[in-house]
């Protein structure tokens, strides 16, 4: 677990964004996105989006949208899932070199990506039609944790592999 936190504490760079992990939940007015590691029983859900590759479920908050609503919407859109329970446990404290905000209502140039886990029931299939971010989900898989970590590592997504490992442990502790 120490190595997962060590990885999360290094800068995570994606396009024009640089993020640093913090183990605190960000305030809503500083949050632009929410990403949760979905669980179906003891297995995790990993999705492959055309634009961003393999990772957790999540996306951009809509104008005025509550974090809970965003989690519910993204799980339904991306994996056909319904959250029975979710918990935020941290954030990627982020900044961008982009000149304008991704959407006009989002904090810019500094913002947070809220991070958490969610217990989900798959109720259907992905109904993603491109959504606000124009991502299309190409594949959704349900794997044992180690299978998801291995796939993320093989694709160079060391920060996301570490996020999955931490989410697994945080969830396990929350369920006692």
């Amino acid at each position: 677990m120490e190595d997962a936190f060590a990885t999360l504490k290094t800068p995570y760079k994606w396009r024009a964004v640089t993020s640093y992990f913090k183990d605190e939940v960000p305030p809503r007015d500083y949050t632009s996105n929410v990403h949760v590691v979905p669980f179906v029983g003891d297995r995790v859900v990993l999705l492959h989006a055309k634009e961003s590759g393999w990772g957790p479920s999540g996306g951009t908050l809509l104008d005025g949208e509550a974090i809970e609503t965003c989690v519910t919407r993204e799980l339904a859109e991306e994996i056909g899932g319904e959250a029975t329970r979710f918990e935020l446990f941290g954030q990627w404290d982020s900044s961008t070199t982009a000149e304008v905000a991704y959407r006009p209502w989002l904090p810019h140039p500094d913002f947070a990506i809220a991070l958490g886990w969610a217990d989900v029931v798959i109720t259907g299939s992905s109904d993603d039609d491109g959504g606000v971010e124009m991502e299309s989900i190409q594949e959704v898989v349900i794997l044992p944790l180690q299978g998801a970590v291995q796939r993320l590592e093989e694709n160079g997504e060391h920060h996301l592999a570490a996020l999955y490992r931490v989410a697994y442990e945080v969830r396990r502790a929350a369920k006692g």
Side-chain angles (χ1 to χ4, degrees), residues 23-41:
D23 62 353
E24 56 191 48
V25 176
R28 167 60 182 91
D29 64 349
Y30 186 64
T31 303
S32 68
N33 300 67
V34 181
H35 292 167
V36 296
V37 174
F39 287 84
V40 175

Side-chain angles (χ1 to χ4, degrees), residues 23-162:
D23 62 353
E24 56 191 48
V25 176
R28 167 60 182 91
D29 64 349
Y30 186 64
T31 303
S32 68
N33 300 67
V34 181
H35 292 167
V36 296
V37 174
F39 287 84
V40 175
D42 286 332
R43 298 183 306 158
V44 295
V45 179
L46 191 61
L47 58 92
H48 187 258
K50 185 170 113 178
E51 297 292 323
S52 58
W54 290 103
S57 183
T60 304
L61 288 160
L62 300 178
D63 192 11
E65 185 177 40
I67 287 174
E68 297 79 11
T69 305
C70 181
V71 169
T72 299
R73 176 178 54 79
E74 291 290 344
L75 287 168
E77 287 176 358
E78 294 178 341
I79 66 171
E82 184 177 308
T84 58
R85 177 179 177 189
F86 84 92
E87 180 180 307
L88 299 178
F89 61 80
Q91 66 177 287
W92 269 313
D93 190 26
S94 305
S95 62
T96 182
T97 57
E99 300 222 0
V100 296
Y102 177 66
R103 296 285 181 248
W105 59 84
L106 298 175
H108 179 81
D110 300 316
F111 59 93
I113 300 168
L115 303 171
W117 60 266
D119 284 332
V120 299
V121 174
I122 304 298
T123 58
S125 62
S126 167
D127 64 4
D128 182 72
D129 61 358
V132 173
E133 296 180 350
M134 302 307 290
E135 284 192 329
S136 56
I137 305 306
Q138 296 180 312
E139 187 176 0
V140 176
V141 295
I142 301 171
L143 302 167
L145 174 67
Q146 194 52 44
V149 167
Q150 181 177 347
R151 186 169 298 191
L152 290 164
E153 291 282 353
E154 288 171 353
N155 285 280
E157 290 291 354
H158 307 290
H159 283 82
L160 294 178

